[in-house]
Amino acid sequence: MRPWYFGVARLFPSYGSPTASSRHSVFHHVSVTHASLARFSGISATWLSQRSKTVSELEQRIAAIPLERFRNFCIVAHVDHGKSTLSDRLLELTGTIQPGGNKQILDKLDVERERGITVKAQTCSMLYNYKGEDYLLHLVDTPGHVDFRAEVSRSYASCGGAILLVDSSQGVQAQTVANFYLAFSQGLQLVPVINKVDLPSADPGRALEQMRTTFELSMEKAVLVSAKTGLNVEAVLPAVIEQIPCPVGDCLKPLKLLLVDSWYHDYKGVILLVRIFDGQVKAGDHVVSFATGLKYIVGEVGIMHPDQTPQTVLRAGQVGYIYFNPGMKRSQEAKVGDTYTHVGMESHVQSLPGFEEPKSMVFVAAFPVDQGGYQHLEDSINQLVLNDRSVTIQKESSEALGAGWRLGFLGMLHCSVFEDRLRQEHGAHVIITPPTVPFKVIWTDGKETVIQNPAEFPELDRNYVSQLQEPFVLATITVPEEYLGPVIKLCEANRGEQKEMKFFTATQVILKYKLPLAQLVDDFFGKLKGATKGYASLDYEDAGWRQSNILKLQLLVNKIPVDAVSRVVHASQADKIGRQWVTKFKEHVDRQMFEVIIQAAAGKRIVARETIKPFRKDVLQKLHASDVSRRRKLLEKQKEGRKKLKAVGNISIDHKAFQKFLAK
């Protein structure tokens, strides 16, 4: 959608197109043209006048603030400790939004509001008057779940400090620990805040003691708040201003900006969220990417306040958005962590370190319920991937389910959120197979191959395989002391190897286990919550590859493999999973005129079997007092007919049977 000043240019051709050189004249005459523009566009002239006045007042206030009064900070915490609610209170406190509006204003996805979680880090700039001086505060609301750790890591790059938020009734949990060490490694200043102090079960003293002993933070400056009721929230921003340093930068140096995030807009193309380290950028500037070498013309710059608010210029220390004109149409060009500068200044600017690309940890296959919906599902997946490039896509086909895709995700929650968005936002009808993890094959000639699809498991050429490896993770579990036994039992049952156990309070334990990733994605978190009545918390990080006795488990129907149902599992679990498969699959396959044999095969060994008896005609019905030899003859004849029918009969399994079998 074109900015409103294109209408001005059409009414007054002498002003021309609002390029960098002419845009000043358009804004200069804007008060004269409100009435004409209103007649041209049908928009209220009063509304235009008020909006122009508001924008100009905002720009004037920001322009008067020196770099020393900028503060860039984020809020980090474990899941459901109240980050988004605290963000709402801070936005209301600074007048950025009106009190009593929508809850979780920065959670913009339907699935985020429905589940009450943050999936995508969201940003907002706020103006706050402290001791008679204006401060420009840039807030980032980050996700709390381990699957979205890359979002938190990117947020840290644009910030000078963080609010470390802890629920006073829950205390320090696994993701709190992980976020602290990630922030500490990047040298961020941390402001401890204890939330939900209004709850009957709140114990602020215990939470403060946990933070002091676990993180060795001084609790003298900790702020105790209730984000829900607004209690003492006004003390948070002064603590941020006093404890978090201002960003470092120089407006007079050549432009150096870091690409922190990006999203796709149907009309504007890719919109970039950037942090300006040096120099300044405005509409009409020619910039170049260090990563791709591509050059662009800046179409608009602005800040999130909380929605996109255009500005004349972004300067050193600020975080804002940029889009180009002509627009960047391929989201692959926007490489997160890339450095941009003005064209011709490449030799004067040192590129910034950037970020490590997150790796897919969990893979599923997705197929349309009806192959007639293939194109719609493909369009839906591509649309979602435009704004979530951590999803990997590879085309796949199955004899049973037809054409589909193999999708890679950062974790099980990431996969579940993507599936929900497909169904809710795009109305897609999709079959999702159980999650699998990649495995590594080391061949006898020394080559290594990482395989993501169980169908590519090397069965026939095992003589050329030197070693098979599977991925492991280092899991950090925080749990109350009374549930320690069940948690250890659960970890041991899932092939876990204990690395550390320590009490960080008299009643709270931190456990560290090395676990196979395949066990973690098999609803380990759900089992952990069940074993501890919801009191345990989990965080994990990649722990590399380890040699393992893994094999391919597949389902056979009348000795023919069902390619849609195959999985690479550890040898110790093949029998158990195989029995579960054949029992469940038998429930969803219709009886035939011939015998149907359902088997689970682990490598060349059959580990489980179920038989569906055929429909059978009673050939002895008309015989009453006949000889036994006559009876035997008729039964033998029927048996021969069954053999012939079984030899030529092909069983066709309905899509609904697969849907029910693959349903969780």
Side-chain angles (χ1 to χ4, degrees):
M1 186 180 292
R2 289 180 169 181
W4 58 266
Y5 45 66
F6 275 84
V8 179
R10 287 181 62 182
L11 284 170
F12 302 94
S14 60
Y15 295 145
S17 176
T19 58
S21 56
S22 63
R23 192 170 290 125
H24 174 74
S25 60
V26 174
F27 279 106
H28 179 70
H29 292 280
V30 76
S31 59
V32 181
T33 65
H34 277 146
S36 304
L37 185 58
R39 287 196 301 273
F40 170 74
S41 61
I43 301 172
S44 161
T46 308
W47 181 87
L48 280 170
S49 177
Q50 288 174 347
R51 179 170 175 81
S52 174
K53 185 179 179 182
T54 304
V55 170
S56 62
E57 282 178 0
L58 181 67
E59 281 207 60
Q60 287 170 9
R61 285 185 69 185
I62 292 173
I65 300 173
L67 183 65
E68 293 73 29
R69 296 208 299 270
F70 287 5
R71 297 292 185 273
N72 300 334
F73 68 100
C74 56
I75 304 177
V76 293
H78 191 79
V79 181
D80 202 32
H81 278 209
K83 295 180 297 297
S84 298
T85 308
L86 180 60
S87 299
D88 284 355
R89 298 293 86 76
L90 297 180
L91 293 177
E92 290 172 2
L93 190 66
T94 56
T96 309
I97 62 171
Q98 293 299 317
N102 290 332
K103 294 180 180 178
Q104 276 89 33
I105 193 86
L106 295 181
D107 288 346
K108 296 178 181 176
L109 299 176
D110 291 340
V111 70
E112 289 181 314
R113 294 177 182 275
E114 183 182 296
R115 291 185 177 219
I117 59 172
T118 302
V119 171
K120 185 86 174 161
Q122 300 291 349
T123 66
C124 184
S125 295
M126 309 176 290
L127 286 171
Y128 181 65
N129 193 281
Y130 178 61
K131 294 183 178 179
E133 293 183 318
D134 277 345
Y135 283 80
L136 180 63
L137 309 177
H138 179 76
L139 163 70
V140 183
D141 180 21
T142 62
H145 197 276
V146 59
D147 284 9
F148 307 107
R149 184 184 311 195
E151 294 278 332
V152 181
S153 178
R154 290 203 299 266
S155 303
Y156 286 163
S158 62
C159 297
I163 292 175
L164 188 64
L165 192 68
V166 172
D167 183 336
S168 61
S169 62
Q170 300 284 343
V172 171
Q173 293 190 280
Q175 197 62 32
T176 319
V177 177
N179 286 334
F180 167 78
Y181 285 116
L182 192 60
F184 186 75
S185 66
Q186 297 195 20
L188 297 189
Q189 184 68 38
L190 294 168
V191 179
V193 175
I194 307 297
N195 192 20
K196 303 188 183 181
V197 295
D198 60 312
L199 293 179
S201 59
D203 189 350
R206 179 183 65 121
L208 287 168
E209 180 60 22
Q210 286 180 357
M211 292 182 79
R212 189 185 65 78
T213 56
T214 309
F215 306 136
E216 297 181 358
L217 291 174
S218 171
M219 293 295 110
E220 295 173 3
K221 296 182 180 179
V223 184
L224 276 63
V225 303
S226 169
K228 186 176 181 180
T229 63
L231 176 68
N232 203 35
V233 171
E234 65 278 0
V236 173
L237 291 180
V240 166
I241 290 170
E242 290 171 3
Q243 296 181 46
I244 292 178
C246 65
V248 177
D250 188 346
C251 291
L252 302 178
K253 286 185 178 179
L255 174 68
K256 179 163 71 173
L257 64 84
L258 175 71
L259 173 53
V260 178
D261 198 2
S262 68
W263 59 94
Y264 191 85
H265 189 278
D266 288 341
Y267 304 112
K268 299 174 182 176
V270 181
I271 300 176
L272 313 181
L273 182 73
V274 298
R275 155 82 152 87
I276 315 294
F277 280 87
D278 288 315
Q280 56 185 23
V281 61
K282 59 186 184 299
D285 285 358
H286 291 245
V287 298
V288 60
S289 159
F290 273 70
T292 64
L294 298 173
K295 299 174 182 177
Y296 305 95
I297 302 172
V298 178
E300 181 178 287
V301 301
I303 58 173
M304 307 300 290
H305 186 70
D307 299 317
Q308 294 176 23
T309 306
Q311 301 284 290
T312 307
V313 65
L314 288 178
R315 54 199 172 99
Q318 279 190 276
V319 178
Y321 73 88
I322 290 177
Y323 69 82
F324 302 122
N325 188 13
M328 181 191 287
K329 294 301 180 189
R330 294 175 64 248
S331 59
Q332 290 80 4
E333 293 176 23
K335 297 188 179 296
V336 172
D338 190 8
T339 306
Y340 287 74
T341 188
H342 285 131
V343 173
M345 302 303 292
E346 297 93 313
S347 59
H348 300 279
V349 173
Q350 184 73 33
S351 65
L352 294 158
F355 308 117
E356 183 183 349
E357 282 291 324
K359 297 194 295 274
S360 296
M361 306 275 277
V362 175
F363 294 86
V364 300
F367 300 93
V369 171
D370 178 6
Q371 282 296 310
Y374 178 88
Q375 191 60 49
H376 172 64
L377 183 57
E378 183 176 38
D379 293 342
S380 302
I381 290 173
N382 289 336
Q383 189 70 31
L384 287 181
V385 170
L386 284 174
N387 287 323
D388 189 355
R389 286 169 302 154
S390 54
V391 180
T392 60
I393 305 180
Q394 187 177 350
K395 289 198 173 180
E396 186 173 295
S397 63
S398 159
E399 288 182 18
L401 298 174
W405 302 266
R406 181 152 290 272
L407 306 174
F409 298 97
L410 302 176
M412 282 307 300
L413 180 65
H414 187 204
C415 174
S416 176
V417 165
F418 191 88
E419 184 182 346
D420 283 357
R421 292 187 67 191
L422 271 180
R423 297 183 197 277
Q424 293 173 5
E425 297 176 21
H426 298 272
H429 300 286
V430 60
I431 298 172
I432 302 288
T433 63
T436 61
V437 300
F439 55 93
K440 184 186 284 187
V441 181
I442 300 177
W443 305 93
T444 50
D445 61 0
K447 290 183 180 177
E448 296 183 359
T449 308
V450 176
I451 297 176
Q452 300 166 357
N453 192 339
E456 299 171 12
F457 189 84
E459 288 183 294
L460 300 176
D461 47 1
R462 288 299 292 267
N463 293 333
Y464 300 103
V465 175
S466 169
Q467 198 178 106
L468 291 169
Q469 296 183 344
E470 65 174 328
F472 272 66
V473 295
L474 180 63
T476 304
I477 302 167
T478 59
V479 61
E481 188 262 342
E482 62 262 34
Y483 300 111
L484 184 58
V487 170
I488 291 177
K489 187 177 177 181
L490 176 67
C491 292
E492 298 291 342
N494 284 276
R495 300 193 286 132
E497 181 185 316
Q498 191 178 120
K499 290 295 178 186
E500 187 181 338
M501 180 175 73
K502 66 178 180 181
F503 284 77
F504 67 99
T505 67
T507 58
Q508 288 286 113
V509 186
I510 291 183
L511 279 172
K512 290 197 175 181
Y513 265 89
K514 269 199 174 178
L515 288 165
L517 181 59
Q519 301 299 126
L520 197 75
V521 303
D522 189 19
D523 198 28
F524 179 83
F525 189 55
K527 294 171 188 172
L528 179 67
K529 286 288 185 184
T532 61
K533 298 182 180 177
Y535 283 107
S537 61
L538 172 72
D539 176 64
Y540 62 87
E541 58 188 73
D542 186 16
W545 300 87
R546 185 182 289 191
Q547 184 175 357
S548 186
N549 183 16
I550 54 176
L551 41 79
K552 181 180 176 182
L553 181 68
Q554 55 186 343
L555 199 68
L556 309 179
V557 177
N558 282 354
K559 299 184 179 179
I560 298 172
V562 181
D563 59 348
V565 185
S566 62
R567 186 169 158 193
V568 176
V569 300
H570 192 264
S572 65
Q573 299 195 315
D575 292 21
K576 178 186 170 186
I577 297 171
R579 282 193 298 273
Q580 291 173 349
W581 277 9
V582 295
T583 305
K584 189 175 180 182
F585 201 67
K586 181 184 177 182
E587 297 171 6
H588 306 302
V589 177
D590 296 329
R591 285 178 73 188
Q592 307 290 325
M593 294 299 293
F594 51 90
E595 187 178 63
V596 178
I597 300 169
I598 302 170
Q599 297 169 306
K604 296 179 180 178
R605 185 171 65 94
I606 302 298
V607 296
R609 167 178 169 150
E610 287 283 351
T611 303
I612 301 175
K613 296 294 183 185
F615 291 116
R616 183 171 176 270
K617 181 182 178 182
D618 187 2
V619 294
L620 304 179
Q621 185 180 14
K622 295 179 182 178
L623 300 179
H624 298 291
S626 62
D627 185 72
V628 67
S629 61
R630 174 67 176 157
R631 291 171 178 268
R632 192 179 295 121
K633 183 180 176 183
L634 287 172
L635 290 171
E636 288 293 333
K637 189 177 178 182
Q638 186 185 44
K639 193 175 178 181
E640 288 296 321
R642 295 285 173 211
K643 282 184 180 177
K644 288 181 183 177
L645 189 59
K646 187 176 179 180
V648 297
N650 288 322
I651 179 170
S652 61
I653 302 167
D654 190 32
H655 263 63
K656 290 181 181 176
F658 281 109
Q659 280 179 266
K660 291 173 184 173
F661 175 74
L662 296 173
K664 298 185 179 91

